[in-house]
Amino acid sequence: MIRSLLHVGMTVPDLEAGRSFYQLFGLESHASGSDLVFRCANREQDQIRLMEGPKKRLSYISLGTDDVGMLTLKTRLERAGVRITETPFRADSGGIWFQDPHGDWVNVQVEQVISSTMPAPPEVNSPGQYRRIGTRACSVESMQKRARPRRLGHLIKFTPDVDRSVAFYTEVLGMKVSDRAHDILAFLRGSSGGDHHILAFAKSTHTGLHHLSFEVGDIDEIEIGAQTLIRAGYEDVFGLGRHVGGSNYFHYIRDPWNSLVEYFWDIDIIPEDDSAWIPLNVSPEELTAVWAAKPAAPGFELNFELPD
Ligand SMILES: [Fe+2]
């Protein structure tokens, strides 16, 4: 049923701090009523809605399905005793609204992820697979390159009960487990396959946001983006490195409210027919990194959101 991640809504005490950070990160912003909405360049789809409030909070996630999926979802929500309500927020992006087992808001819309119209990045030359022939990957102008995130790929939410969250998002919302670290960490993909994970859950004492993750064009853009934020004074938390869960290259930077944003590139794609995919169930350390330039900074795994 759930096929995609569309956007997230966050409450923050300072919209301008958000505008400065996410613009430098590479997103474009526009005002929407009293909120601030961020999109990727060359792509007509909201990715982050910032709403002003007393403290930073991941307020909701917005997920996509199709017409048949919406009908099935409504039936399953009813059977599970989950109430469908009006939007609890000022802006209504449409679709249905409900709360997950820990009280976090979920919006589901009949909508697909819109493709980026950004030019494709240069082909990669690997041993035996030389795809870029007679064309430079880099030029003097490459030094002016900026990170241009293509799409919001996934987020990791904290939960006090990973098993309970996984049960709800798989059994009621139709998502699938790609890999997990017992009851500490679980990566979920959409029902029709695609990215290794569009939503993941990490154990904490309460709910909150661990990180938002945006896909960029290549490994250069991961570091160009990360180094731009670090030079501006934002905290370098973890990277450059390559994950085991999802196989993506990563670099995490702390946002103005102590959550993280990640640039990623080259994530595993799982087909709808997933008969050949065998999920891992290993330690969190084994899922985290094949290698990294340096260990994660202290607090990488912590939940800095205050409980309600
Ligand atoms: Fe990530």
Side-chain angles (χ1 to χ4, degrees), residues 6 19 24 29 60 65 122 207 216 218 264 267 274 308:
L6 298 175
R19 190 201 302 270
L24 198 60
S29 69
Y60 69 87
T65 187
T207 64
V216 290
D218 52 26
F264 82 87
I267 197 166
D274 54 9
D308 286 331

Side-chain angles (χ1 to χ4, degrees), residues 7-19 21-22 25 27 34-38 46-62 89-91 97 105 152 154-157 208-214 253-262 305:
H7 76 274
V8 300
M10 292 198 292
T11 303
V12 298
D14 184 351
L15 292 182
E16 284 311 310
R19 190 201 302 270
F21 178 76
Y22 287 114
F25 179 78
L27 302 181
S34 54
D35 303 337
L36 206 49
V37 172
F38 295 87
D46 295 350
Q47 302 282 260
I48 302 173
R49 174 174 289 271
L50 286 189
M51 302 169 283
E52 198 161 85
K55 62 179 182 179
K56 190 266 175 169
R57 190 85 176 96
L58 175 66
S59 300
Y60 69 87
I61 61 173
S62 181
F89 303 100
R90 278 190 302 269
W97 291 84
W105 285 102
L152 173 64
H154 62 264
L155 76 155
I156 292 193
K157 276 164 62 71
L209 175 68
H210 180 264
H211 75 266
L212 299 177
S213 188
F214 285 81
I253 305 292
R254 214 169 269 299
D255 73 16
W257 313 281
N258 277 330
S259 295
L260 301 168
V261 288
E262 176 188 29
E305 285 192 18

